[in-house]
Amino acid sequence: ALVTQFHLPSIYHSNNITMDQFFPAFRAVSGVTHALGRSPAAARGGGFCCCSPLFIVISVMLLFWNEGRSVGRYRDLQESLKLVTNVDDISSVDSSLEGKLVHMTGDYTSGSDVKDSTFGVSTNGIKLVRNVQMYQWDERSYEDTRTKDDGSTETFRRYHYNNVWSNSLINSNYFAEKESHENPSSMKFSKSSITAEPIILGAFTLSSSIVDRMNWFQALNNLSVDNIPEDSAAKDAKVEFGSEFYFGKAPLYPEVGDTKVSFQHVPPGTISLMAMQTSDSSFSPYTTSRGGQILFVQRGNVSSEDMLLQAAQENEFGTWVLRIVGFGIMYMGLHSLLSPLVASADLIIPCLGNAMEYLVSMVSGIVAGVSSATVISIAWIYYRPLLGILMLSISGAIYYFGYKRYARYTRVNSNESSASGDGTERKGMVMMEVA
């Protein structure tokens, strides 16, 4: 049997609220009964057995691909370190560097201010973003599964409603209780983004691929309703703390439909970049010999070595994250593959279910860890032969010594059982002779 268990949040534990007091805040919509074993351990043993092989295959593919991606990125960064040219004078364009990887640092400026005509907000920065939030109803659903005395489970879905400030429209038509929790059908204003053109760096013009990465936004304060045009839809705005426009009766007591509008901008400053210099005095991603892309943009004065070092650290971090994800997926596959053992043990002797659950978890973790290391080793043999062979040898040694230890343990137990049986038989023969 397949079953998924959901539990209510532990809020009622942390606030000393009983279950009976907690439930009235929810609405029970349906109850579904599933025939299961005689305890929660058996329910846990149901697992997702049919998906186990798929999980394992996905894990192997992810781990193998991740190592290739990591090695490829490392080689791209090593190649970039050898080829990059540091440009100190950006007041003129050196045509001999066209098509080459360059690094430069300087102050960027825009030709004109960027302005939001609806609210009359302007800045001398290169980007201006309008953020809009509306006070709305939000629905959260929870499923609570209880095990009954006969071993079956009963599932209830409950809904909880809160008022929240949301950046997007929440459609209340899909709520379970939409009559008493209705949101507006549209937002008073929409989010917008304005970018200055052109953006200049010395004698160069920054391309969109560079500008898209310049996202070090800062809040734009000191807003005023005096700058809002008379014919604007925002004329009835109030200013709250100088940092946002408010549309509603009382900011301290918001009602559904109230709207807040704030602004962020990217102010003028210093930028460091590493990219390919193009013929139109601009930049584009540099393509390495292996086909990788190099395009780095950072705020402030950052050297080419520091840029590449940070990229290498990010690559290493990303590699380990995907390794852990791959291990987790393989653990899930192995655990669900072995989970029927938990249900079987619990059906035979109820108290064995929890013990078998711990055993299955331990075995799944060990096998998943060793298997993941083996896949990584095989991938490294393909991408990095020397290190791959070393890792594969370590994994093989763990497998070998683990098997040897298990075989010795089995043999010792077998010999003890045989010796015990022989001793009982001889004692019986002696008693017969004496009699």
Side-chain angles (χ1 to χ4, degrees):
L2 303 181
V3 63
T4 303
Q5 290 191 331
F6 299 84
H7 299 281
L8 285 169
S10 58
I11 182 171
Y12 54 85
H13 293 301
S14 59
N15 293 280
N16 296 321
I17 301 176
T18 65
M19 296 285 281
D20 293 333
Q21 292 173 319
F22 187 79
F23 282 161
F26 297 84
R27 175 176 179 265
V29 173
S30 62
V32 182
T33 302
H34 304 275
L36 299 175
R38 291 182 293 178
S39 78
R44 291 195 302 270
F48 295 89
C49 303
C50 60
C51 300
S52 302
L54 179 61
F55 287 164
I56 296 174
V57 170
I58 292 175
S59 171
V60 172
M61 294 176 62
L62 174 63
L63 291 170
F64 196 93
W65 168 83
N66 179 47
E67 298 308 314
R69 179 207 59 79
S70 176
V71 172
R73 188 59 174 171
Y74 171 80
R75 291 173 178 170
D76 291 339
L77 298 177
Q78 290 294 315
E79 179 180 337
S80 301
L81 182 61
K82 297 177 181 178
L83 298 179
V84 64
T85 299
N86 294 301
V87 180
D88 296 325
D89 183 11
I90 61 174
S91 60
S92 60
V93 178
D94 186 352
S95 59
S96 64
L97 296 177
E98 292 178 4
K100 296 183 179 180
L101 182 64
V102 297
H103 168 272
M104 60 183 64
T105 298
D107 296 330
Y108 57 88
T109 59
S110 60
S112 60
D113 292 351
V114 287
K115 182 176 181 179
D116 186 305
S117 58
T118 302
F119 289 85
V121 176
S122 62
T123 175
N124 63 346
I126 64 169
K127 290 183 180 181
L128 178 64
V129 172
R130 179 208 297 170
N131 297 309
V132 181
Q133 291 182 308
M134 186 167 68
Y135 201 62
Q136 305 174 69
W137 285 107
D138 182 48
E139 179 187 75
R140 289 288 183 267
S141 63
Y142 303 89
E143 287 192 2
D144 177 34
T145 300
R146 300 180 183 179
T147 302
K148 300 193 295 185
D149 294 338
D150 60 356
S152 63
T153 62
E154 191 173 19
T155 301
F156 297 93
R157 173 162 290 185
R158 307 175 188 277
Y159 297 89
H160 182 56
Y161 297 89
N162 282 322
N163 292 125
V164 297
W165 287 102
S166 176
N167 296 318
S168 59
L169 185 66
I170 301 176
N171 192 344
S172 58
N173 291 329
Y174 298 102
F175 286 176
E177 293 183 349
K178 58 184 178 181
E179 294 81 7
S180 56
H181 304 92
E182 185 176 358
N183 288 326
S185 58
S186 62
M187 299 185 73
K188 190 176 182 66
F189 303 97
S190 59
K191 181 176 181 177
S192 65
S193 179
I194 307 171
T195 303
E197 291 183 3
I199 301 174
I200 307 300
L201 178 64
F204 298 87
T205 301
L206 298 183
S207 62
S208 59
S209 58
I210 301 292
V211 176
D212 290 344
R213 289 166 169 77
M214 300 171 65
N215 294 321
W216 36 86
F217 287 96
Q218 296 180 5
L220 193 61
N221 298 317
N222 300 321
L223 303 178
S224 173
V225 296
D226 297 335
N227 298 324
I228 300 178
E230 290 292 337
D231 58 348
S232 173
K235 192 58 182 173
D236 58 340
K238 305 179 181 67
V239 175
E240 184 182 8
F241 307 119
S243 59
E244 59 187 11
F245 294 104
Y246 191 89
F247 298 84
K249 295 180 180 180
L252 296 179
Y253 304 97
E255 299 177 355
V256 172
D258 287 5
T259 301
K260 296 191 300 186
V261 179
S262 59
F263 289 87
Q264 292 177 304
H265 72 138
V266 177
T270 303
I271 186 178
S272 298
L273 63 87
M274 183 184 297
M276 183 183 73
Q277 181 177 318
T278 58
S279 57
D280 58 349
S281 302
S282 189
F283 308 95
S284 66
Y286 177 80
T287 304
T288 64
S289 58
R290 156 194 171 270
Q293 299 286 309
I294 298 296
L295 178 61
F296 300 134
V297 179
Q298 292 190 27
R299 184 184 185 183
N301 191 342
V302 184
S303 65
S304 58
E305 292 82 3
D306 289 340
M307 278 188 168
L308 292 171
L309 177 60
Q310 181 176 340
Q313 293 172 344
E314 292 174 353
N315 180 50
E316 183 179 1
F317 177 77
T319 300
W320 276 105
V321 168
L322 290 178
R323 284 172 179 169
I324 294 173
V325 171
F327 163 80
I329 296 175
M330 183 171 292
Y331 172 83
M332 289 171 57
L334 292 171
H335 189 278
S336 59
L337 189 67
L338 299 174
S339 60
L341 297 175
V342 180
S344 300
D346 196 77
L347 289 173
I348 297 172
I349 303 177
C351 63
L352 289 180
N354 290 328
M356 183 60 70
E357 172 71 20
Y358 295 134
L359 179 61
V360 166
S361 299
M362 182 181 66
V363 171
S364 299
I366 294 174
V367 175
V370 176
S371 300
S372 298
T374 301
V375 173
I376 293 174
S377 301
I378 295 174
W380 276 37
I381 288 177
Y382 183 80
Y383 297 109
R384 289 180 172 181
L386 293 179
L387 291 176
I389 292 174
L390 176 61
M391 288 190 63
L392 187 61
S393 300
I394 295 175
S395 298
I398 294 175
Y399 269 124
Y400 174 77
F401 287 112
Y403 173 77
K404 292 287 288 183
R405 185 177 182 85
Y406 172 76
R408 184 175 61 181
Y409 176 79
T410 304
R411 186 169 59 252
V412 169
N413 286 346
S414 177
N415 292 338
E416 290 179 353
S417 298
S418 300
S420 176
D422 294 343
T424 302
E425 183 179 355
R426 286 195 298 270
K427 181 177 180 181
M429 292 176 63
V430 171
M431 292 179 64
M432 289 178 62
E433 292 177 357
V434 170

